[in-house]
């Protein structure tokens, strides 16, 4: 389940993301009363009456967030999963599995501390269809990457210094510790990292392989819609 991209174009995905953002901000938007829009939004509900869609504003907001999260995941090449397959310390057979430690991103943000040196009491299984490579699992702290990921979600990071635009990476900021952000711009000497949540200023780090932990491949959502 490591590849959920479909045939949708980048234009369609950006449109869906912007549409989700607009509907999230405005639960009373006329689109929610448009039968043609509702039919497009939920094919499996075509036979239901329009009255079934007259639901609470909070539910409408969550539907908008879920739509936007799916569009962001496709555009940024991140797979969505349910709860992470945790392996407890001392579990029988754990050493024989392909498991990686789970580290709290906020705790590991101290200056001079390496993620893989942090103590941990939990491991997570890497999906069988994950590409070959070295992985690390991180528990997210903060909502700057909402609605794609929230506090408490776990992300699977493929370690490596290769950086591409419009992917999500974990990197070490020289002053602020480790961050999980979208790569918004690549320059010869710097990398610009952006949040998905609005009104958050970008972060710029030197284009130094030593500062890049790796690319986020999968997010296990504790907030699953």
């Amino acid at each position: 389940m490591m590849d959920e991209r479909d045939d949708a174009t980048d234009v369609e995905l950006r449109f869906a993301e912007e549409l989700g953002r607009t509907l999230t901000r405005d639960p009373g938007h006329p689109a929610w009363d448009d039968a043609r829009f509702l039919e497009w939004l939920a094919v499996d509900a075509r036979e239901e009456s329009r009255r079934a869609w007259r639901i609470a504003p909070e539910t409408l907001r969550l539907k908008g967030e879920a739509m936007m999260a799916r569009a962001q995941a496709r555009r940024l090449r991140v797979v969505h999963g349910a709860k992470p397959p945790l392996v407890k310390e001392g579990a029988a057979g754990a050493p024989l599995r392909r498991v990686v430690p789970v580290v709290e991103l906020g705790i590991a943000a101290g200056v001079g501390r390496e993620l893989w040196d942090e103590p941990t009491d939990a491991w997570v299984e890497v999906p069988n269809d994950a590409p070959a490579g070295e992985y690390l699992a991180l528990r997210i702290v903060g909502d700057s990457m909402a609605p794609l990921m929230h506090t408490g979600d776990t992300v699977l990071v493929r370690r490596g210094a290769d950086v591409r635009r419009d992917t999500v990476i974990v990197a070490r900021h020289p002053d602020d510790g480790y961050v999980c952000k979208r790569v918004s711009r690549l320059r010869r000497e710097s990398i610009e990292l952006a949040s998905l949540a609005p009104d958050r200023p970008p972060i710029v780090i030197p284009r130094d392989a030593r500062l890049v932990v790796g690319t986020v491949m999968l997010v296990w959502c504790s907030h699953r819609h």
Side-chain angles (χ1 to χ4, degrees):
M1 60 175 294
M2 287 299 296
D3 187 2
E4 291 185 350
R5 288 184 64 82
D6 52 25
D7 295 330
T9 66
D10 287 341
V11 173
E12 290 170 334
L13 295 176
R14 290 178 185 275
F15 168 75
E17 181 177 348
E18 184 58 34
L19 179 60
R21 181 179 289 112
T22 299
L23 296 178
T24 297
R25 292 173 177 171
D26 185 10
H29 194 281
W32 294 110
D33 293 322
D34 189 317
R36 292 171 300 176
F37 168 74
L38 297 180
E39 182 176 1
W40 169 79
L41 179 64
V43 175
D44 60 345
R46 284 183 176 180
E47 302 304 322
E48 295 183 8
S49 65
R50 290 182 59 189
R51 182 175 300 178
W53 287 92
R54 295 178 181 176
I55 50 183
E58 176 66 12
T59 302
L60 296 179
R61 183 185 67 80
L62 292 176
K63 286 183 178 292
E65 284 190 355
M67 180 192 300
M68 184 163 54
R70 289 194 297 271
Q72 289 172 341
R74 293 191 184 101
R75 181 162 66 89
L76 300 175
R77 301 174 179 85
V78 177
V79 176
H80 255 182
K83 293 183 179 180
L86 293 175
V87 179
K88 296 182 179 179
E89 182 177 11
L96 301 178
R97 304 179 187 178
R98 189 184 181 194
V99 298
V100 294
V102 179
V103 178
E104 185 96 8
L105 189 61
I107 293 176
V111 176
R113 299 169 69 174
E114 298 292 350
L115 289 173
W116 37 90
D117 292 335
E118 293 295 324
T120 183
D121 59 0
W123 287 260
V124 67
E125 287 192 66
V126 178
N128 293 330
D129 56 349
E134 188 175 358
Y135 288 88
L136 180 71
L138 300 173
R139 192 168 289 116
I140 295 298
V141 176
D143 291 329
S144 66
M145 293 294 285
L148 180 60
M149 56 187 73
H150 300 73
T151 293
D153 290 352
T154 302
V155 296
L156 183 67
V157 180
R158 188 183 185 190
R159 291 183 58 184
D162 182 41
V163 177
R164 297 182 182 181
R165 188 174 178 272
D166 277 338
T167 59
V168 179
I169 68 169
V170 175
R172 184 172 61 191
H173 188 277
D175 299 322
D176 299 332
Y178 290 97
V179 295
C180 180
K181 301 290 182 183
R182 175 178 70 87
V183 178
S184 57
R185 183 173 297 179
L186 287 172
R187 296 187 175 92
R188 180 174 298 179
E189 297 182 354
S190 65
I191 302 173
E192 183 178 284
L193 303 174
S195 301
L196 294 180
D199 304 324
R200 306 289 179 97
I203 296 173
V204 178
I205 64 172
R207 193 164 183 176
D208 184 340
R210 295 171 296 181
L211 299 179
V212 178
V213 176
T215 301
V216 174
M217 306 293 290
L218 186 152
V219 53
W220 287 290
C221 302
S222 60
H223 66 283
R224 194 74 168 175
H225 294 296

